[in-house]
Amino acid sequence: MAGDTIITVVGNLTADPELRYTHNGLAVANFTIASTPRVFDRQSNEWKDGEALFLRASVWREFAEHVASSLQKGSRVIAQGKLKQRSFETKEGEKRTSIELDIDEIGPSLRYATAQVTRSSGGSRGDFNGGGQQRSFGGQQRAPQAAPAQDEPWGQPQGNAGFGGGNTASGWATPGQTPDYDEPPF
């Protein structure tokens, strides 16, 4: 949306994502990303930590469930989203403002770790679904959410028609088939 402040943050999760559900049944995961800059001190000839930024973040719906099952405390992540400012009043009547990150995309940083990506099944709204990650970084490994078709990481899960339930007969979701379309699907 025009006017949104979009940022990318690289840092570590300070705790496991906290998965909750609203009274309407919507999933939301909240967590904090700590990002600490490293600066080289020429006088001491060594790297030193700068002042850490602790940024609260949230994700919603199926995305929240993917994050909660894929990431854990200490995981180094790359997150991109919109900064949101929220004003509130404490019980004592003090006015406060907080800045939070509404996550659009998040994933493990592969700088110091590896990750195995698996596509999740589902997608009831017909949009593109990101894949959940197995935990093979920063802690114990978890089993994948859905088995990929064949051994290809980006293969379609069994029973899922195209991206998000689309039509696989379109040719766009099936490599090697090229129907006569005048324009690309985007």
Side-chain angles (χ1 to χ4, degrees), residues 133-172:
Q133 286 80 22
Q134 287 182 344
R135 281 194 186 179
S136 58
F137 48 91
Q140 297 178 344
Q141 185 169 348
R142 288 192 179 175
Q145 294 177 356
Q150 301 158 354
D151 286 328
E152 183 187 1
W154 297 109
Q156 293 294 324
Q158 298 295 331
N160 186 12
F163 288 115
N167 182 4
T168 57
S170 69
W172 294 108

Side-chain angles (χ1 to χ4, degrees), residues 94-130:
E94 298 173 332
K95 292 184 178 184
R96 300 275 173 100
T97 300
S98 69
I99 295 179
E100 300 169 355
L101 184 61
D102 185 13
I103 300 283
D104 291 325
E105 297 287 339
I106 188 168
S109 169
L110 301 180
R111 184 173 213 163
Y112 305 113
T114 61
Q116 179 64 42
V117 178
T118 57
R119 171 171 267 142
S120 66
S121 60
S124 58
R125 295 182 314 150
D127 53 359
F128 289 98
N129 291 317

